[in-house]
Each structure stands twice: as structure tokens, then as C-alpha cells.
Amino acid sequence: MCLAVPGKVIEVEDRDDTRMAKVDFGGVVKDVCLAYLPDIAVGDYTIVHVGFAISKLDEASALETLALFESLGIMDEEFGDQWGRAAAEAGAERPAGTESVA
Amino acid sequence: MKYIDEFNDPDLAKRLLDDIHATVTRPWALMEVCGGQTHSIIRHGIDQLLPSQVELIHGPGCPVCVTPLETIDKALEIASRPGVVFCSFGDMLRVPGSGKDLFRVKSAGGDVRVVYSPLDALKIAKENPDKQVVFFGIGFETTAPPNAMTVHQAKRLGITNFSMLVSHVRVPPAIEAIMTSPTCRVQGFLAAGHVCSVMGTQEYPALAERFEVPIVVTGFEPLDILEGIRRTLKQLEEGRHELENAYARAVPAEGNPAARAMLADVFEVTDRAWRGIGVIPGSGWRLSEAYREFDAEHRFSVGDITTQESSACRAGEVLQGLIKPHQCEAFGKECTPRNPLGATMVSSEGACAAYYLYRRLGGTPAPAREAAPVG
Ligand code: SF4
């Protein structure tokens, strides 16, 4: 959760008067709030923390970081099945109702 | 033990390490503040590649680890109530409270949900007007603006069944507390990059000046960390103590002004207890008066909490850099990620978890430093 992950802005729209984007993190696409980086446009790279774009980043650095995070399993930690991981760590059954990732 | 060919640019890593080895003439102790950096350091064996005189002290910058036990217990109590949907980031699920954790609350039938973003929790509130939806708002300055925006939106959109259990912490007061502690050994800091992406760097020159410590804003990737260490050691050897930004690609000096403005509107500075460490004056944020109605502590009366910390756990000393995780008696024995006694053993940022995952010492003291493969 503490990490911020770079991604590419692939779509921008206003929702409830708030600028939102779809951001592609090397294949995983998430809704991201652009309220703190209003000038960002489709095609730009941004560092995203818990669904908020916080800072712009150049493409080369972004791709490098993404490749590194992918190879270290960090992308899965960030976007993967949190209940499944917690259950595995606890050596316990996953709680009922957590079968879907969210 | 990892080797530099595992770095994404081994040549650059070798050059940085060579320079570090050529620079250092005497012992230095540096603290990396951020738990994400600690994990990167231990995972890549960076501490073992440094000259033997350089010690890395792991700092308290893991928000999951420093969230006060009392707040965790309040979270568990609120999450157990009928009619409540309790939303949290995934890394809080197994943080031990006094006896249980959110994972077990969920297993016992509580409606605990993992969200990626605080806005997801707000959406759940919108879609479930008959439920009370509570979001566990923890984190440093990087996470505070998203949470601030979420509360701001709740107010603007009139989503009154949403509230937040807030336990935000701030880095600069922690640096001050570390530097004024009588046991302090820290001579230089790697400051947390993403915190500065939001806050900028202006809080740090005064600290560097006052305590005569170099503070170098540093990223999280192995090469970033090597560069941060290199620049800190250079300053120390040259007798300088300045703020430097070694992570300029993501940290503008002014930070993110829009985020800072939102923080100033939604939160106010407060004293905050850090788990295992105690109260650090001015080190936290809570919701400001105008947003108090969205404060879960306000909405749910959760008095009468008797906290009980494991008596074996020395996480407070670990978080202050006084001991290394494996020096705790319980490390790898009574305390493992499966059965954590302290929060530092569960979090993906906790120092005990980092040592357990990447440096299986099985409770024995660290082996003597192996010769660094370069330098
Ligand atoms: S090893 Fe476990 S018991 Fe020891 S300090 Fe770390 S979390 Fe606490």
C-alpha cells in the first residue's frame, strides 16, 4: 500500500465533477483520480498511489520501474488477491465471501 | 546474499558501489526512514554490499507498523459491528491487535472489505445507504492526500453513511524525535521519496541544519537507494549536512501543491502515538473541525478499550533502530509471519518481516558480514 506505482494514462473523463483516468499498470487497468495532477493527459505516465496520481514521470523511468516491480512480484502484491495472500500467510482458510479479488 | 548482477543495471550498481567504497574512510550510521526502502535494502542485500563501516539503521517509516494498538483495537471493534462495512488496504488485514486481527473478524462474519483506493470505500458507501461504511485511513504524507480527498468528496456529495478512522503520521516530527533521543546514533537520513513527491522538500533543510545531518531524498529501487546512500556518505565525509534530492525524477521541490492544499483543508496536525514508540508531538493528522462528522472515532463510541501488547515483542526498539529484528528473542521462533507478535512481522514494509522473508536467520544472530563482492 505504501508503494506508488507508475502507469500510463489511457483515458480521461470527468466523473461527479472530478477528473478521473483509466491508468494501465503493465496490463492491470485501474480507475485513478487526477484531482492532484489536473494537467495530465492521455499518453502521459504518472506515479499512482492508492488510486491517485501524485506525480508525473518520464516514460523511460516508468517502464523501467514497472519491469522491475513485475520481476520482484510487487505488482501482484499491489493489485493481486489480498485475501488469498493473507490466508496463505496465516495458514488459514480464506474467509467466506472473499472469493472475488476486491 | 544477493549479488549485483541481480540489479537492473549491474554496471551502474557497480560504479555506485565502487564510488561508495572509495569515499568511506570511517564508520557511519545512516537511517532509511521508509519501510519500503528497508524491504528493498534487505531483499537486495544492499547493506551487505556496503563497506563494513557503514551501518543502515532501519527507521519507523512503516505506517502499518506504527498505527497505535489502541487504534487497531478500535478498528477491530467497529468492524465487528452489525451494519458496518469496514474497508481497509490489504496490508492491515493481519496486523495484530490485542488478540485478533481484521482477517479473523472477517472469518467470524464481520463485513471487512479490501479496497485498492479510499475512493472505492466511498463508492461502497454510496451503493449501500443502509450500511455504515468505515475506511481505515492510515499512512504517511503520501497516503494522506487520497484519504483527505475522499472525505472531502463525501462531504461534497453528502454521503453521510461514510466515515474514516484516521491515523495519519508525518515524517519530519519523527526525524526530530529520533535526533533528540538520547540513544540516537543516526548521522544521516535517506528521506522517503514518495512522501516528498507530495510534500516537497522544504520541511527538511531546517532539520538538516539544526541536527547537522545530511538528508537525502531517495527512491525505492535498488539503484535509487545506492545513489541515496552514496550522496549521504559523500556529505558526511566532506563534513556537509544539507538537503539533497536524489529522486528528482519523481520529486519536484515544491511537491504537489494541490495535494498540500487539500491536506491543509481536511486535516489538522495533532500529537500521535506511534506503536511501540509512544507519543511524538505534532506527528499526526486528524480530521479538522469542519470534517469531524466524518471521523469514525466520533461516530462510533468505542470507549473502554484495554490494549494488550505481546510482552515478548520488541518492535518499538526495532522501529527506533535500537535493535535489528533478529536480535529479538522471539524472531523466527514464537514470532513468524504466520504467527506475528508484532505489526513489524506482517507488513510488507515491516522490518521484522523483511528480515524473515529475505534473510532467514532463524533466530540466530546475523553472521559476520561477508566480504562485499565489489570494492
Ligand atoms: S520479531 Fe516479532 S516479536 Fe520480535 S520485535 Fe519483531 S514483531 Fe516483535
Side-chain angles (χ1 to χ4, degrees), chain A residues 8-40:
Chain A
K8 183 179 188 173
V9 177
I10 53 173
E11 215 179 283
V12 175
E13 62 164 4
D14 282 323
R15 213 180 297 158
D16 282 340
D17 289 329
T18 304
R19 241 171 117 65
M20 298 290 293
K22 293 223 178 295
V23 174
D24 180 355
F25 302 94
V28 183
V29 175
K30 289 273 177 195
D31 275 334
V32 166
C33 178
L34 298 183
Y36 295 138
L37 269 193
D39 297 333
I40 214 136

Side-chain angles (χ1 to χ4, degrees), chain A residues 30-64:
Chain A
K30 289 273 177 195
D31 275 334
V32 166
C33 178
L34 298 183
Y36 295 138
L37 269 193
D39 297 333
I40 214 136
V42 170
D44 286 344
Y45 283 81
T46 168
I47 298 183
V48 176
H49 179 62
V50 299
F52 284 71
I54 54 170
S55 148
K56 231 174 139 157
L57 194 67
D58 64 280
E59 177 171 10
S61 310
L63 294 178
E64 213 172 284

